[in-house]
Amino acid sequence: MASDEKVFDMKWTVEQQLSAWARGEFFRLFPGIPPGAGIEVVVATDDAFGDYQCNAPMSLAKTLRMAPRVLAERFVKDAAPSPLVASMEVAGPGFINIRLSANWLQQHLAAIALDERLGVPLVDPAETIIIDYSSPNIAKPMHIAHIRSTVIGNALDRMFRHLGHRVLSDNHLGDWGTQFGILILGYRHFRNPDALAAEPIQELERCYVASYDKAKADEAWMDEARRELVKLQQGDKENRSLWRTFVELSLKEFNRIYDRLGVSFDLVRGESFYHDLLAGTLERLTEANLLEESEGALVVKLEEEKLPVCLVRKSDGGFNYATTDIATVLSRVDEFKPSRILYVTDERQQLHFKQFFAVARRLGVNVQLEHIWFGLMRLPEGTFSTRQGNVIKLERLLDEAESRAFEMVRTSSPDMPEEQQRAVARAVGIGAVKYADLSQNPQSLVTFTWDKALALEGNSAPYLQYAFARVASVKDKYRERFPAARLEEYPIRPVEPVEWLLANRLIRFPDVLSRAANQYRPNLLADYLYELAQVYSRFYQNVPFLKAEEGVRESRVRLCELVARTLRTGLYLLGIETPDRI
């Protein structure tokens, strides 16, 4: 089945190459297959059956009026050879199991070992993708529920960039709206200068809560807050100055958290950036005959989409989130010409985005708009609540993570200088927090517990970071024993079954990365890295390394080097650092 031809197309992943070959052969052998039929080769569900599998006979059988197994048997018998394929066999009712050519696999490993991108092809054509994530509210501290949007969005940001797309990350701050009238009034009457200097965001939040509570009990206070808001919206010099102070203090605090998380943005544009565009947006909706009056408010009816009406302007003349989001997407499309805009927010906003996307489409926005929603984070006893006082500040979580990691590092590496111990603890602690979130399906509900969030073993970032450090040390030990050896001159030639298993896992990295990004599921990459580390552990425990004979020894050290590079790259794409020693 295998061909002697050496074919390496680093522009395609392994699954893409196999799928293209299988697709071409199916169309050649069975002319009745309709154009666009789904014919794909994917990773085998069980290593015992093969490396890859093709299930196309099952879906094509009805169209071709052939039994799936008969169809599969003919393909196995008559398909033209592929340099990637050593053998094929039919299983069950019509599954095609595929084993890779050993010669091809060895050459492919050699190729990716020389490739700084580990075989990950650059997409062609590249897209411009805007990712809207994190988006905290001004004058409110970030709490642990903010971690989900921030780390999921940042992982997608990193993955799409690595694939070659032009990515614009946008932190769309909640810096405008009715709450600022309440906050301005509270700031003037309740602020404590000492508390403001010590913990500005906490003090602003306290002023807002005190003012809000008073407004609920005192209608006159609420009326005064509304007047302060109108003054702000009309450009009153004093109120605008206060508002800018709130934004500056908040951004300073947010950026400190982002620095700890290793997160940065290309754009930081709050709702206020688009405020002057709202009137024009209303005009555009009017010109498109989309607006209708309803009890003094202006709405867009979305009966065709089977959605509730979208409120665009309230009866008091004020605008809401939908209006701002419509203005924002129109501005983004005009300025950046993106092909995709991704919004990473929690599941409670699903209806809002469905309505907003529907209105945008009616206005002629043909950009792909995606709401990447994630499940809520809650405590074992219930949801977070500011009123109940059980909201855990994000900074406290990060402090606790680093503290626990420091104790672990101090125990495992007592001879390490304290400055280095703390640097490692920061990487391990922050990595644990991120991975605890990213390793789960984004749409799952997350029940927060300290032990789970800060797990330092099992399927966790510290486990993978430790695996990286251990793998990387193999090459260092090799260099100590064989300082004159030219490692790169030795071919990678897997011998033992566990070596083949590890080699198969390594070549899957490009496909996993592409799937994780395009399905908006960083957990697929996390799952892959954990499995790779487990297979490596079996490899390490079952075959000799430095004591193996020359050639075999170098092949195994080079495999270790590929594992280390893959772990480091994969964890980087999840926003997780990899210290050389833990």
Side-chain angles (χ1 to χ4, degrees), residues 129-137 142 146-158 161 167-174 250-270 274 332 336 342-345 394 434:
I129 302 174
I130 297 175
I131 308 181
D132 180 328
Y133 67 95
S134 197
S135 307
N137 290 319
M142 294 176 73
H146 286 111
I147 196 73
R148 301 217 76 189
S149 177
T150 304
V151 302
I152 292 171
N154 186 248
L156 294 175
D157 180 348
R158 290 167 180 258
R161 287 179 200 268
V167 177
L168 290 168
S169 54
D170 191 350
N171 193 2
H172 189 70
L173 301 171
S250 299
L251 280 174
K252 184 177 180 180
E253 194 81 358
F254 296 159
N255 288 334
R256 196 164 54 79
I257 298 293
Y258 291 136
D259 286 344
R260 294 184 71 178
L261 292 172
V263 171
S264 61
F265 300 90
D266 299 302
L267 301 171
V268 180
R269 292 180 175 178
Y274 305 95
R332 286 170 171 168
F336 301 112
L342 314 180
Y343 298 82
V344 186
T345 76
L394 181 53
K434 289 185 174 184

